[in-house]
Amino acid sequence: MSFNSSMTDINSIHRRQSNSFIIQQQHLTSEKINRKNSLRDELPTNEVTLQRHLGLFSGVCFIVGIIIGSGIFVSPKGVLRGTESVGLCLIIWIGSGLLSLLGALCYAEIGTVIPRNGAEIAYMKEGIGSVHERIGEISAYLFNWTSALILKPASIAILTLTFSQYFLSGILIDCAPSEQLVKMTAVFTLLILMNINSISVSAANRLNIIFVICKVVTIIIVIIVGIVRIAQGHTKYLQNGFDGTTTKPLNVALAFYSGLWAYDGWNSLNSITEELKNPKRNLWLSIVLALPSVIILYLLTNISYFTVMDKVTLLNSNSVAVTWGEVAIGPVVRALPILVSISALGGGNGSLYGSARYCMVGAQYGYLPEVFACIHKKRLTPIPGVVLEGLVAIALCMPGNVEGLIDFFSFAAWIFYGLTFLATLFCKFTMKKAERVISVPIPLIILIILISIYLVIAPVIA
């Protein structure tokens, strides 16, 4: 069967009757797109739509920019607390990365079968809906509201609060920043990011690339210093690395929560599939290039931490990167919080960019008010979605509890990740003739579904 016929089958699953002008226009646009023979074609020029402006390099930078935020500087304590040993801690970092890579490949497969912005919204509605239409609708509806009010704003709030904490720590020499000042700075930062993402897509994308460069440079500095210290013989904390390893499986699940939070963003590119040039090629290739690179960077960074700190010191540290820097780089440590803050800010910018697209697609399906399906006629930016996500993130900044927000985020996220993997499995049988650039073996999809169930249930029991 031709690809054109496959796309027609897919479209028939998600078409819904509605008197909404906006949704009718979206269906008209989908019909025009489906008459083309390739995902690489541009959207119709007579419609006000988001444009395909992200290439392979921008795609890789987008994924890396969201993944490398505050996690590598916040999560080491949580992973070590759950594993209780250096050796298992490093294994969890690798395992979290491989699990994220497997999840991203599942998303890449279903993303080429259902090439829509909004990722999970479309995948649940059309993937799960291909087996049972009503359950698919309910799953997508619940995810859309959970994403709009919890998942995305919580992620943005965590990253901006981390930026504020580290930035103020870097510029205030004689005193620690007050909680009120941290919150005010986070709110001010969010307002700036909202303006940038509302004014220009290109500006937000260029800013993300600049942030990615700063992030990678920061991590490379930590890695190089760690390699030098290993060469100098500072390996006593790495020796006998499995001493004290936990024997409680539930604690390992909690350790995975912290590790997976550091890798969160592995699915970010799926949320902007309609803005990606040649998504059949660039979606999976961006994932394959970005995730292994981040795994290597994270592993080497944690090894560098353990050339300076033992388990007790790391667990008692309020700022792992700064504690490391005080020993490893001496007076230059003053610049480290600034670099870490830039890393977190880049993650916040990327999260806000993607979350506005979730709102837009959800409104196109009719799950959110229609105003959120609108984009600016000239700037081609989803301003209502940017404003909604920014304002909810500001509200979540008020409590100022970063660890509480991480738990708040992770539990809900893995429920819907698991449902998306289930949708990928269903599409193997209900959309057999759809064109697939990448195909994940069914046993691996079943494995990650079981892991998702474990990650949801085990922390609740613990």
Side-chain angles (χ1 to χ4, degrees), residues 140-320:
Y141 175 85
L142 291 175
F143 171 80
N144 196 197
W145 279 93
T146 305
S147 173
L149 298 180
I150 297 177
L151 297 180
K152 300 303 177 184
S155 178
I156 297 167
I158 292 167
L159 291 162
T160 50
L161 284 169
T162 303
F163 159 79
S164 180
Q165 180 68 51
Y166 273 91
F167 178 76
L168 293 173
S169 298
I171 63 174
L172 298 177
I173 299 175
D174 297 326
C175 61
S178 66
E179 183 178 349
Q180 291 77 12
L181 182 59
V182 169
K183 293 178 183 179
M184 289 172 60
T185 305
V187 170
F188 179 71
T189 302
L190 272 170
L191 292 173
I192 294 176
L193 293 180
M194 288 167 62
N195 275 279
I196 293 172
N197 281 271
S198 297
I199 292 172
S200 171
V201 171
S202 297
N205 183 44
R206 292 191 189 103
L207 187 63
N208 185 56
I209 292 174
I210 293 171
F211 284 144
V212 168
I213 294 172
C214 293
K215 295 175 184 191
V216 174
V217 168
T218 303
I219 288 182
I220 288 177
I221 290 173
V222 175
I223 291 171
I224 291 175
V225 173
I227 293 173
V228 171
R229 287 184 60 82
I230 290 175
Q232 293 173 345
H234 297 282
T235 59
K236 61 180 179 180
Y237 302 135
L238 294 169
Q239 297 172 357
N240 302 319
F242 289 93
D243 288 349
T245 298
T246 183
T247 57
K248 300 177 181 178
L250 297 180
N251 286 357
V252 175
L254 296 176
F256 264 110
Y257 255 22
S258 295
L260 290 167
W261 159 251
Y263 285 100
D264 190 70
W266 49 264
N267 60 333
S268 57
L269 198 59
N270 288 70
S271 66
I272 55 170
T273 303
E274 290 179 7
E275 296 172 70
L276 190 65
K277 298 176 183 177
N278 190 8
K280 287 175 63 179
R281 169 182 177 269
N282 289 338
L283 179 60
W284 73 269
L285 192 53
S286 296
I287 290 169
V288 169
L289 291 174
L291 264 298
S293 300
V294 174
I295 293 172
I296 293 171
L297 291 174
Y298 276 9
L299 178 62
L300 294 177
T301 300
N302 276 278
I303 291 174
S304 180
Y305 288 157
F306 288 117
T307 64
V308 171
M309 294 175 281
D310 60 8
K311 293 188 292 185
V312 175
T313 304
L314 192 147
L315 289 174
N316 290 330
S317 172
N318 292 323
S319 175
V320 174

Side-chain angles (χ1 to χ4, degrees), residues 79-159:
V79 177
L80 183 60
R81 185 181 296 112
T83 59
E84 299 180 17
S85 73
V86 174
L88 185 56
C89 174
L90 297 177
I91 290 175
I92 293 296
W93 278 101
I94 297 173
S96 298
L98 294 176
L99 182 59
S100 299
L101 177 58
L102 177 57
L105 291 176
C106 290
Y107 268 61
E109 176 178 338
I110 196 172
T112 54
V113 173
I114 307 173
R116 291 290 314 276
N117 267 8
E120 292 94 340
I121 301 172
Y123 305 159
M124 290 180 199
K125 175 176 171 55
E126 300 177 14
I128 296 178
S130 65
V131 175
H132 193 288
E133 184 177 356
R134 180 58 60 86
I135 294 177
E137 286 273 5
I138 293 173
S139 300
Y141 175 85
L142 291 175
F143 171 80
N144 196 197
W145 279 93
T146 305
S147 173
L149 298 180
I150 297 177
L151 297 180
K152 300 303 177 184
S155 178
I156 297 167
I158 292 167
L159 291 162

